[in-house]
Amino acid sequence: MLVRHLPNCVDAPPHRKKISEGVDHGPVAAIMTKKTDINTAFLLMAQYGGKAVIPVEDICRDYFRHLTPTMLIRKVSTGELDLPLTRMEGSQKAAKGVHLQDLADYIDVRRAEALAELNRR
């Protein structure tokens, strides 16, 4: 898949600055490049008591109530959800979680998509 980088993306790690080549992201890309007044990562740090990696069970409880932890892991592994999982060690049975910044980026992208949809009306 060919990708290009968005210039001037604020507070997004390099792996989150990519958007698909040949797809018109118009308002979404424009919204993602603006600095927001509220820092999502800061709010998540307060919500999760400063944890760097948030357990999958907590993510499901708070943001994906319609999914079980097993279903969330499956959707991530099949690519249905663009949310990287972190294993605390190499074992398949190791605890899995989502890094706080990755969750913040995911929430910010979903917000940008919702704002773009609202602006199209």
Side-chain angles (χ1 to χ4, degrees):
M1 174 172 71
L2 297 173
V3 293
R4 63 184 165 99
H5 293 280
L6 284 175
N8 304 322
C9 248
V10 179
D11 297 326
H15 71 281
R16 289 288 180 214
K17 293 181 185 179
K18 299 176 182 177
I19 60 173
S20 301
E21 186 70 47
V23 177
D24 179 20
H25 291 280
V28 174
I31 292 167
M32 288 175 58
T33 60
K34 294 180 181 175
K35 184 157 180 67
T36 58
D37 294 331
I38 298 174
N39 186 328
T40 307
F42 181 74
L43 294 172
L44 288 173
M45 283 193 325
Q47 180 178 352
Y48 291 108
K51 291 180 186 176
V53 177
I54 304 154
V56 170
E57 294 78 16
D58 293 350
I59 300 291
C60 285
R61 180 193 66 222
D62 297 335
Y63 294 100
F64 297 95
R65 291 182 183 187
H66 60 288
L67 299 176
T68 64
T70 304
M71 290 171 65
L72 177 75
I73 292 167
R74 187 176 318 126
K75 282 184 172 256
V76 168
S77 65
T78 61
E80 291 180 60
L81 280 175
D82 185 25
L83 194 61
L85 288 181
T86 302
R87 277 201 176 100
M88 297 318 295
E89 55 182 57
S91 167
Q92 287 283 5
K93 294 184 179 186
K96 296 172 190 75
V98 176
H99 190 276
L100 184 131
Q101 187 62 55
D102 292 331
L103 180 59
D105 293 341
Y106 180 83
I107 291 170
D108 288 342
V109 167
R110 299 299 298 173
R111 177 180 181 262
E113 290 171 351
L115 288 172
E117 184 179 330
L118 178 66
N119 289 334
R120 281 192 294 256
R121 294 183 195 170

